[in-house]
Amino acid sequence: MNTHFSFKKMTLTLLLLTFGLGEVGAILTKTKRHIQGEIPKLKNKNNQDGVDLSTTATDNFKIGDELILSYRYSDPDRDEDDSTTTVIWYSIINGETKKISTSHIKNKSANSTGNGESKLEITSATKGASNFKVSITATSKSGDPNSGESFVINDIFKNPYGDSISNKIEKNLSLKGSIAGIYDSKDKSFSKNLINEEEQIKVGGTYVFRLWSGADKNVDLTSKVKYEWRLLGQSASDNITAPPEGFKTKIFNRDFIVPNNEEAKKITNSKDGAQGFNLAVDWK
């Protein structure tokens, strides 16, 4: 009799536990706000909020030099850096601000072993620029919030958020300092630039284009640009006038032999062929 009573008592207890615990487990309470981490931050070399600027140029910007934006990334939650996806570089030419194509920009996100950076290569596309502008926003690949402070540098020589480009560079800044030259192929020392010299261009003559880093001709930049030979001006006797951009010869990135009348007429539609026109090069 006692045994039977104990068994029923045990069964009742298990039933109460089972259903009772089930009721309690189905009730969820939550906080009004969700979990947040810390905002990502960018730090300059002095560990202040900001970024630094530098350049590979030593005296004057020339094609092939680089402008570099760098920073140290900080995120206590360990969300990975994605800040370089927000970088935009601009050139300032004749007071007009123009966005620069990403094809001239190389970005590297920060990680545990190194800083983040964005490198802008100076190309002929920015020829004539008097300054550059750059912007970046502290951004992480994950987390909440994943966006922090934005830094807009309107003048690379006056960066309010860290190191600036040297004043020495600013004083000597002239992307137009790249010197273009047209030379007779016999002029092996490139001593007579026919852009400036009063030397006659001859039918059948071979001519060479060169782009130098400066007047001293220390660095030949020709291989870094693409160019086409053009004919400008007016024919010698039948008043055929070239369009403003010149007659396109379709001779690219190599020496130019001035064609005879028969061949040149296919380009100029003039009985004079190439005679009377000026030789020119369109490069970029």
Side-chain angles (χ1 to χ4, degrees):
M1 190 72 176
N2 288 340
T3 303
H4 178 65
F5 175 78
S6 297
F7 175 75
K8 287 182 15 179
K9 184 178 181 182
M10 184 181 296
T11 302
L12 179 60
T13 302
L14 287 172
L15 287 171
L16 287 171
L17 284 171
T18 300
F19 289 104
L21 286 175
E23 288 293 324
V24 172
I27 298 173
L28 296 176
T29 57
K30 67 173 185 176
T31 58
K32 187 173 183 178
R33 301 292 298 273
H34 63 270
I35 299 170
Q36 275 192 323
E38 298 292 328
I39 62 171
K41 292 185 177 182
L42 305 183
K43 301 285 187 178
N44 60 30
K45 71 178 187 180
N46 294 320
N47 203 34
Q48 298 170 331
D49 291 346
V51 296
D52 294 307
L53 296 178
S54 60
T55 180
T56 58
T58 56
D59 184 55
N60 193 0
F61 288 139
K62 60 182 183 297
I63 292 174
D65 285 334
E66 291 181 326
L67 297 176
I68 306 166
L69 178 150
S70 59
Y71 61 89
R72 185 175 65 81
Y73 177 75
S74 173
D75 190 317
D77 314 309
R78 299 190 179 181
D79 295 309
E80 293 182 3
D81 178 32
D82 202 29
S83 304
T84 54
T85 60
T86 70
V87 173
I88 304 175
W89 286 92
Y90 305 84
S91 62
I92 301 173
I93 303 175
N94 297 324
E96 184 179 355
T97 302
K98 296 182 178 180
K99 184 177 177 181
I100 297 174
S101 167
T102 55
S103 62
H104 305 306
I105 300 168
K106 294 179 181 178
N107 292 327
K108 183 184 76 173
S109 296
N111 54 39
S112 59
T113 60
N115 293 341
E117 62 182 21
S118 178
K119 292 183 177 182
L120 168 67
E121 181 181 6
I122 302 298
T123 69
S124 58
T126 51
K127 183 177 65 173
S130 60
N131 209 327
F132 293 88
K133 171 183 174 180
V134 63
S135 63
I136 185 173
T137 299
T139 306
S140 60
K141 290 183 179 180
S142 58
D144 178 26
N146 69 341
S147 181
E149 185 175 358
S150 295
F151 303 94
V152 180
I153 303 168
N154 293 303
D155 181 344
I156 61 171
F157 305 107
K158 298 175 183 177
N159 174 17
Y161 309 111
D163 282 356
S164 301
I165 303 298
S166 166
N167 287 334
K168 180 181 177 182
I169 299 285
E170 180 182 18
K171 290 176 182 177
N172 294 324
L173 177 62
S174 174
L175 293 177
K176 292 180 179 177
S178 299
I179 303 296
I182 296 174
Y183 304 90
D184 191 305
S185 63
K186 298 174 184 177
D187 181 7
K188 302 301 182 183
S189 63
F190 303 107
S191 60
K192 289 186 177 182
N193 187 344
L194 301 179
I195 293 174
N196 307 314
E197 297 283 341
E198 292 286 346
E199 188 165 318
Q200 204 67 52
I201 309 297
K202 297 289 188 180
V203 173
T206 301
Y207 297 90
V208 176
F209 173 73
R210 287 291 182 271
L211 183 68
W212 309 104
S213 60
D216 54 10
K217 295 182 287 197
N218 281 341
V219 182
D220 184 351
L221 303 172
T222 313
S223 63
K224 295 183 176 292
V225 297
K226 297 178 181 179
Y227 61 94
E228 180 189 11
W229 292 90
R230 303 281 179 94
L231 296 173
L232 290 176
Q234 193 173 64
S235 61
S237 67
D238 57 4
N239 299 319
I240 299 296
T241 301
E245 69 275 13
F247 286 120
K248 299 179 180 181
T249 67
K250 298 183 180 179
I251 303 298
F252 298 94
N253 307 321
R254 58 186 172 90
D255 297 351
F256 182 72
I257 301 174
V258 180
N260 59 32
N261 285 12
E262 183 180 353
E263 292 300 315
K265 186 177 180 180
K266 298 174 184 177
I267 301 170
T268 65
N269 200 32
S270 166
K271 66 181 182 181
D272 296 315
Q275 295 177 79
F277 294 99
N278 293 88
L279 191 56
V281 175
D282 177 58
W283 59 276
K284 58 184 178 181

